[in-house]
Amino acid sequence: MNSKKVYLYGGHVTSWKDEHGDELLFVSNKAIFKPPKAIRGGIPICFPQFSNFGNLEQHGFARNRIWTIDTDPPPFPVPTSNTAYVDLILKPTEEDLKIWPHSFEYRLRVALSPGGDLMLTSRIRNTNADGKSFSFTFAYHTYFKISDISEVRVEGLETLDYLDNLQDRSRFTEQGDAIVFESELDRIYLGTPSKIAIIDHEMKRTFVVRKGGLPDAVVWNPWDKKAKAMSDFGDDEYKRMVCVEAAAIEKPVTLKPGEEWTGKLELSAVPSSYYSGQLDPDRVIQDSSVPEDSIS
Ligand SMILES: O=P(O)(O)OC[C@H]1O[C@H](O)[C@H](O)[C@@H](O)[C@@H]1O
């Protein structure tokens, strides 16, 4: 049976299972499910800062806070019939306001469609009473579970420019017809399409990432050396995960008081063999139970 699991700690999705009960997200065997560090795996939320693009702690504080269930969320524009969902909310504490002096309401809906797609919708509102705008960067830091990193390719980012985190964020243009992994990789692809595919040849499975309001995409695998340096990550676990993160980084989002931003992520897992190994994004969309216009 399809299922999902969400922790109030971090508003963090830690499990997404297909109809056979197989796990689709990677969570480290060494993950710690309590403060102060974020859970290693699943879908951490990076807000209000991605990485060190600002003065806050790495990836912002949302992934390290205890969220609450939102019992009375304002209506969602997307129809939610036949989906199982939970609504969470995060508001800044007095302590948060000292490090990031902006009032906000962050509403997160995590939904599972009847077809098993996992859908995350973030709605962030500026509730400043002092008339001030604020800006933030953002990412859904999704860890996908894969058979073996050497069997995986990421399609949809070819010919795009990226900032290479391993080379002082210098800007390059992707030359390959897909991204394959042979060593540590940590890049921010810019102006990406709303669909990206992660093709796992050995599992004969393709993850399709669809996103809205999130122009950038981070692709990350720590490889062996960095894996050993992370205390909450097994030495060999880099082989079984890849992060493809729907993000807004290059151009921060700015909200005036009263304004709201929406960022959507929709994940599907489809058998690659069905497409004879050739991903046809249009066909994937047509086969989806969710209309494309609900995501962008
Ligand atoms: O260890 P964390 O703070 O969770 O960050 C894990 C990774 O997140 C992103 O993918 C960044 O691009 C990487 O540079 C970083 O190493």
Side-chain angles (χ1 to χ4, degrees):
M1 206 182 82
N2 296 111
S3 68
K4 63 176 173 5
K5 197 185 279 179
V6 187
Y7 269 69
L8 292 180
Y9 177 49
H12 196 131
V13 178
T14 57
S15 173
W16 168 41
K17 290 185 177 170
D18 68 12
E19 68 274 24
H20 309 296
D22 291 333
E23 184 58 57
L24 301 168
L25 296 177
F26 167 88
V27 176
S28 171
N29 289 330
K30 293 181 152 188
I32 301 161
F33 294 80
K34 55 180 194 223
K37 281 189 69 184
I39 300 165
R40 178 67 65 192
I43 313 181
I45 284 175
C46 305
F47 172 84
Q49 174 185 300
F50 178 77
S51 185
N52 60 353
F53 282 78
N55 302 325
L56 299 176
E57 64 200 84
Q58 159 96 346
H59 291 329
F61 52 77
R63 65 177 184 162
N64 301 319
R65 294 293 181 271
I66 308 289
W67 295 51
T68 48
I69 301 275
D70 190 6
T71 47
D72 189 22
F76 269 73
V78 181
T80 52
S81 57
N82 291 326
T83 58
Y85 62 86
V86 63
D87 287 305
L88 302 184
I89 184 161
L90 180 72
K91 294 184 195 175
T93 62
E94 290 298 317
E95 289 305 303
D96 295 337
L97 289 167
K98 285 182 195 156
I99 55 167
W100 201 66
H102 303 293
S103 284
F104 65 87
E105 285 176 1
Y106 182 154
R107 291 192 156 80
L108 173 68
R109 173 166 289 185
V110 182
L112 197 59
S113 80
D117 293 349
L118 183 69
M119 299 177 288
L120 276 73
T121 308
S122 291
R123 299 190 296 175
I124 298 171
R125 177 176 289 276
N126 181 338
T127 53
N128 271 338
D130 58 7
K132 287 199 183 128
S133 299
F134 64 67
S135 298
F136 62 87
T137 48
F138 180 95
Y140 290 115
H141 194 311
T142 310
Y143 288 74
F144 292 94
K145 186 177 174 185
I146 52 168
S147 60
D148 190 310
I149 190 69
S150 58
E151 296 288 334
V152 163
R153 51 197 272 140
V154 177
E155 292 188 0
L157 303 174
E158 43 284 353
T159 76
L160 298 179
D161 280 6
Y162 63 87
L163 307 180
D164 193 337
N165 281 326
L166 304 178
Q167 298 189 63
D168 299 323
R169 300 211 170 112
S170 301
R171 195 173 177 125
F172 298 94
T173 303
E174 179 59 53
Q175 304 291 341
D177 58 0
I179 299 167
V180 291
F181 299 85
E182 290 158 348
S183 58
E184 183 183 1
L185 193 136
D186 189 353
R187 297 175 182 170
I188 303 168
Y189 286 84
L190 307 171
T192 62
S194 61
K195 282 153 272 176
I196 299 168
I198 301 151
I199 300 164
D200 185 336
H201 292 293
E202 185 156 325
M203 288 296 283
K204 296 188 171 52
R205 177 161 65 203
T206 296
F207 291 108
V208 183
V209 176
R210 277 168 286 186
K211 56 191 180 59
L214 297 161
D216 305 322
V218 180
V219 181
W220 179 58
N221 183 287
W223 219 254
D224 55 349
K225 213 165 137 223
K226 205 157 270 178
K228 286 201 179 79
M230 289 192 281
S231 59
D232 58 351
F233 191 84
D235 290 357
D236 286 331
E237 286 186 322
Y238 73 93
K239 294 176 183 165
R240 298 196 297 281
M241 57 69 71
V242 66
C243 286
V244 175
E245 312 164 28
I249 300 169
E250 189 192 26
K251 297 186 188 89
V253 178
T254 300
L255 292 177
K256 294 187 188 130
E259 277 185 346
E260 185 174 275
W261 169 86
T262 302
K264 289 183 187 180
L265 177 69
E266 204 175 298
L267 306 178
S268 319
V270 295
S272 304
S273 53
Y274 184 69
Y275 299 100
S276 318
Q278 295 291 310
L279 182 87
D280 177 348
D282 292 336
R283 194 153 166 209
V284 172
I285 287 296
Q286 278 164 24
D287 288 348
S288 165
S289 56
V290 180
E292 189 179 4
D293 61 2
S294 69
I295 193 85
S296 50

